[in-house]
Amino acid sequence: MKLTKFKELKFKSYKPGKYEIPSLKEKRKIIKLSANESALGASPKVKAILRNNISTSKYPDYTSKLLRKQISTKFKCDSNKVICGSGSDEIIQMLCQLFLAKGDHVIVPEFSFLMYRIYASISGAKVLFSKEKNYKISVDNIIKKVNKKTKIVFLANPNNPTGTYLYKNELISLRKRLRKDILLVIDDAYYEYMKDQNYASGLKIFKNSKNVFILRTFSKIYGLAALRIGWGYGDKKIIDALNFIKPPFNVNEIAQLCAIEALKDNKFINKSIKHNLYWSKKIKKNLEQFDIYSNKISANFLLLSFNHCKLSAVAFEKKLEKRGIILREMNSYGIDNHLRLTIGNNSENQLFLSELKKIFKNV
Ligand SMILES: Cc1ncc(COP(=O)(O)O)c(C=O)c1O
């Protein structure tokens, strides 16, 4: 018997940040600074929900109605233009399913979140990469890649893994210069951490736009990565179509309840922002003493360049792993001699800094 053919998958699959170090001999706690998760965990309000006896025998609300309402209250937007997903990942997947077919073109910045290119490729579309300038997205280079077949432009702002970002006026200019029928997807995954006055989130700028779609996640500052929950915001017609193709119970009950509480806890969010700023500055400064340079502070991670350092990125990564600390390698993103470091909690960051000093004492 010869089984029917399935899709040929001719692209690299997603490899998440490492979470174990098999070569580590001694038993010690692993410090995982490789996946841009929340430094402070989740809000106490979320923890209170998790301690409750939540019934699991009934299907969840398949429209995530209460959560969408909370989102619309907090962000002053229309709950009918919100769709929730099992992580923003799932929304990216559904957008590609909805908009793309074989022969279509999608543009992504050359160093960008890998799931845009992966889901677009699965849908049969061709992915074109727009060159960045000094690891920053270039509007000019995106426009240069546009052709008759272009359907979607994906970008994250701030961008993962580079940590750079487009200013509000640059995003507006991109939308103006793109053909009107091309969907611009702006991923706001890290927007909460942003302090620069020249920056504005995609949602803030394009709330009423018909050809911009916004992605948001609960996996970063809200600390709900394990629950898999995110949301998308766009024109009602797109949302209706996404609801048509969405798996019926894609967002579980516990995730919905926790996300509602997470949104309410402004105190926790502000604490997380302060923590991130304090440690980003401190870590950046310490790394510079050893000629490891990084992007201007933006999200909850830093892209570290080893181009001026005595050690290569690989050598530093190995030395850290021997000490139980994992950073994200950047070769899978096509960035040579760099590592990405997520800002951790107080003790993780202190340990990182003390190991950093020890490593360079012996170089
Ligand atoms: C830019 C960006 N978008 C989306 C995601 C995925 O978010 P989620 O956990 O909601 O699927 C990530 C995760 O690292 C990310 O960096």
Side-chain angles (χ1 to χ4, degrees):
M1 183 208 69
K2 199 163 177 233
L3 188 67
T4 184
K5 267 193 181 170
F6 53 83
K7 279 186 179 170
E8 266 189 74
L9 304 168
K10 286 188 183 157
F11 48 86
K12 280 190 200 146
S13 66
Y14 185 73
K15 289 202 178 52
K18 254 190 223 171
Y19 52 88
E20 53 185 9
I21 310 172
S23 58
L24 206 61
K25 301 265 175 339
E26 23 167 346
K27 266 211 164 158
R28 61 155 97 189
K29 196 171 163 258
I30 302 281
I31 310 284
K32 181 179 175 239
L33 303 175
S34 60
N36 299 348
E37 291 135 330
S38 152
L40 303 182
S43 143
K45 288 181 192 284
V46 168
K47 289 180 185 158
I49 290 278
L50 291 171
R51 279 193 300 271
N52 278 347
N53 262 338
I54 302 168
S55 156
T56 57
S57 59
K58 299 279 190 278
Y59 286 109
D61 169 13
Y62 75 103
T63 65
S64 303
K65 191 170 165 197
L66 293 179
L67 173 57
R68 287 187 298 108
K69 194 157 178 280
Q70 190 64 40
I71 288 170
S72 81
T73 308
K74 183 167 172 108
F75 300 107
K76 300 186 178 56
C77 60
D78 182 353
S79 67
N80 294 315
K81 289 168 69 179
V82 175
I83 183 165
C84 298
S86 174
S88 49
D89 253 10
E90 191 186 35
I91 316 266
I92 302 167
Q93 182 183 30
M94 290 195 288
L95 281 173
C96 290
Q97 241 180 324
L98 186 65
F99 278 88
L100 302 176
K102 198 167 181 311
D104 291 337
H105 285 191
V106 165
I107 301 172
V108 301
E110 60 178 326
F111 309 121
S112 50
F113 183 51
L114 299 171
M115 294 319 296
Y116 312 144
R117 67 191 69 174
I118 291 177
Y119 286 129
S121 302
I122 294 171
S123 298
K126 183 170 174 181
V127 180
L128 305 184
F129 298 99
S130 65
K131 282 255 168 260
E132 296 184 14
K133 288 184 184 160
N134 293 327
Y135 296 111
K136 182 182 161 175
I137 291 171
S138 154
V139 171
D140 285 343
N141 289 340
I142 291 178
I143 298 298
K144 276 186 200 154
K145 287 286 171 188
V146 172
N147 62 35
K148 276 193 301 206
K149 296 178 180 171
T150 310
K151 289 282 162 71
I152 304 182
V153 173
F154 279 104
L155 60 87
N157 204 39
N159 187 27
N160 171 23
T162 58
T164 54
Y165 52 94
L166 292 176
Y167 289 164
K168 179 181 174 181
N169 63 332
E170 292 173 303
L171 270 184
I172 293 171
S173 151
L174 170 62
R175 183 56 274 178
K176 277 198 185 135
R177 291 173 65 190
L178 267 184
R179 225 176 42 231
K180 284 202 171 64
D181 64 313
I182 296 171
L183 182 71
L184 173 62
V185 178
I186 302 175
D187 187 340
D188 281 349
Y190 301 95
Y191 98 91
E192 292 91 347
Y193 296 105
M194 293 300 293
K195 284 281 151 237
D196 187 337
Q197 297 296 316
N198 295 310
Y199 169 89
S201 73
L203 187 69
K204 186 142 193 225
I205 308 172
F206 295 110
K207 217 175 263 185
N208 299 315
S209 173
K210 287 196 187 309
N211 52 10
V212 180
F213 194 92
I214 309 299
L215 298 170
R216 291 275 174 113
T217 181
F218 286 97
S219 301
K220 305 301 170 187
I221 204 159
Y222 298 104
L224 305 185
L227 294 180
R228 310 303 306 124
I229 181 159
W231 53 284
Y233 191 85
D235 185 48
K236 178 76 168 44
K237 277 191 187 152
I238 302 177
I239 296 294
D240 288 347
L242 290 173
N243 274 316
F244 198 91
I245 61 171
K246 144 181 126 52
F249 304 106
N250 60 330
V251 183
N252 74 71
E253 177 86 8
I254 300 170
Q256 290 184 38
L257 292 172
C258 289
I260 290 170
E261 290 309 307
L263 285 174
K264 288 181 192 163
D265 197 345
N266 286 328
K267 204 169 131 196
F268 177 78
I269 297 165
N270 289 334
K271 187 175 157 191
S272 302
I273 295 170
K274 265 197 195 144
H275 172 93
N276 191 59
L277 212 55
Y278 171 80
W279 279 108
S280 304
K281 278 187 198 160
K282 190 166 170 136
I283 292 175
K284 186 175 168 67
K285 223 166 136 190
N286 273 268
L287 285 163
E288 282 172 4
Q289 288 175 16
F290 304 106
D291 295 321
I292 302 168
Y293 297 100
S294 55
N295 56 289
K296 197 163 105 183
I297 287 161
S298 58
N300 65 337
F301 59 88
L302 293 169
L303 180 68
L304 315 183
S305 163
F306 289 78
N307 290 342
H308 300 279
C309 177
K310 276 193 219 160
L311 284 179
S312 70
V314 174
F316 185 66
E317 184 190 14
K318 282 198 179 133
K319 285 181 190 294
L320 275 181
E321 286 188 2
K322 276 191 189 147
R323 295 160 157 85
I325 301 174
I326 308 177
L327 305 198
R328 181 76 141 109
E329 61 79 29
M330 282 290 109
N331 293 327
S332 52
Y333 284 84
I335 307 181
D336 203 28
N337 208 22
H338 285 66
L339 295 171
R340 194 190 64 199
L341 164 85
T342 306
I343 305 300
N345 64 26
N346 289 338
S347 62
E348 289 168 337
N349 295 333
Q350 269 150 6
L351 190 81
F352 172 77
L353 290 181
S354 73
E355 294 301 335
L356 172 76
K357 287 193 183 115
K358 280 188 216 160
I359 287 172
F360 281 95
K361 219 175 183 180
N362 302 318
V363 171

